Amino acid sequence: MLPFARVAIVGMGLIGSSLARAVRAAMPTVRLSVSDADPAVRARVRDLDLADDVADHAGAAVIDADLVILCVPVGAMATVAAEIAGELAPRVVVSDVGSVKGQVLADLTAALPGIAVVPAHPVAGTEKSGPDAGFATLFRGRWCILTPPAGADAVAVERLADFWRRLGATVETMDAAHHDLVLAVTSHLPHLIAYSIVGTASDMEAVTRGEVIKYSAGGFRDFTRIAASDPVMWRDVFLANKDAVLEVLQRFTEDLTALQRAIRWGDGAALESLFTRTRDIRRTIVDAGQDTAAADFGRASTGSA
Ligand code: NAP
């Protein structure tokens, strides 16, 4: 039996529209009702025929749904939760896909007292945005991390885990604060570094913009892909995960200073020792099936956030 019969998705960008496509493919009998704040996105979703109903307001989309998934930027979760609060069916499960979990959990539980809230984060994405960027296989072979609050209804958690497994994801459960620290290291810091490096390169007057583009294959190109990620989404991630990001950034800054010192003093052994260790980490990631060893790292279609 399917875990949910009527699913509502609010926010039909990259992740919401991928979810809609994946639900259609894996659970075709599910009644899918969606909404988005942007009238142009709603019109596009109708054109693409991604759902059974496209509502003009979030509240109208969630009526009768037994699962509601919020796929809006992290900073918009509280607003959407307030919009749907009075419209939810009594035994609904409310979830989300936000890249930060502590703040979203606090926002959703505050706005939706008495409702089963089970936040989730599919660790899958690309640098693209909007309903045209989504695809049904985005979550296949990827992790989906559930961060239920203490005392959450175990049946609701298991139903949501079953839902994500049917979309091809592997489900892991962890505490929201731990999720935010892990993702600060594996996703948020790398994005911050990419935004910073691309900004620095474009500001360097001694190197022309033409040269930066021409010789970008020397490593810069991969940073530009990450730094092309959605500005609103990432603004919200850094504002919402401030403490964990600042903690990890402090460690990173210290390690960078040590590298600076090694270069200044010609300490080749220190550099080689670090680079050997990091190469092993890369091998472990490829061996774990989290990336391919292909020259472009198989990044034509998938990444993660
Ligand atoms: P996106 O492509 O920009 O889509 C977000 C959509 O939500 C947009 O259509 C946006 O409309 C709409 N929206 C914004 N505020 C709204 C509101 N108050 N009510 C209804 N709709 C609203 O972003 P995305 O990449 O799908 O990200 C969505 C969520 O997934 C974020 O929380 C993000 O942290 C999480 N996530 C992203 C990735 C990734 O790699 N992209 C991976 C995992 C999780 P407007 O265009 O009008 O703003």
Side-chain angles (χ1 to χ4, degrees), residues 13-15 36-38 71-74 80 97-99 122 124-126 129-130 233 305:
L14 168 72
I15 301 296
D36 194 285
D38 186 341
C71 300
V72 298
V74 168
V80 176
V97 295
S99 307
T126 75
S129 308
M233 174 195 148

Side-chain angles (χ1 to χ4, degrees), residues 10-18 35-39 41-42 57-58 70-77 79-80 83 96-101 104 120-131 133 138-139 188 191 229-234 236-237 303-305:
V10 180
M12 283 295 284
L14 168 72
I15 301 296
S17 73
S18 293
S35 182
D36 194 285
D38 186 341
V41 170
R42 296 199 296 271
H57 302 285
L70 308 186
C71 300
V72 298
V74 168
M77 295 286 181
T79 309
V80 176
E83 279 169 28
D96 74 297
V97 295
S99 307
V100 177
K101 301 283 32 125
V104 172
H121 176 203
V123 187
T126 75
E127 69 281 12
K128 305 209 173 72
S129 308
L138 177 63
F139 310 108
H188 307 168
H191 275 80
S229 299
D230 191 76
V232 172
M233 174 195 148
W234 282 97
D236 286 2
V237 166
S304 64

Side-chain angles (χ1 to χ4, degrees), residues 58-59 70 76-88 107-108 110-113:
L70 308 186
M77 295 286 181
T79 309
V80 176
E83 279 169 28
I84 63 172
E87 312 295 338
L88 295 167
D107 287 349
L108 297 189
L112 306 170

Side-chain angles (χ1 to χ4, degrees), residues 6 10 25 39 52 62 68 117 145 188 206 212 217 233 244 250-251:
R6 303 173 77 92
V10 180
D52 298 299
V62 304
V68 173
V117 170
I145 303 172
H188 307 168
V212 168
M233 174 195 148
Q250 178 61 33
R251 271 294 295 271

Side-chain angles (χ1 to χ4, degrees), residues 29-91:
T29 58
V30 163
R31 173 129 196 118
L32 201 52
S33 176
V34 306
S35 182
D36 194 285
D38 186 341
V41 170
R42 296 199 296 271
R44 189 66 189 136
V45 169
R46 286 190 188 101
D47 287 348
L48 292 167
D49 191 25
L50 295 182
D52 298 299
D53 296 304
V54 183
D56 286 347
H57 302 285
V62 304
I63 293 173
D64 291 342
D66 49 10
L67 171 65
V68 173
I69 305 191
L70 308 186
C71 300
V72 298
V74 168
M77 295 286 181
T79 309
V80 176
E83 279 169 28
I84 63 172
E87 312 295 338
L88 295 167
R91 276 189 295 278

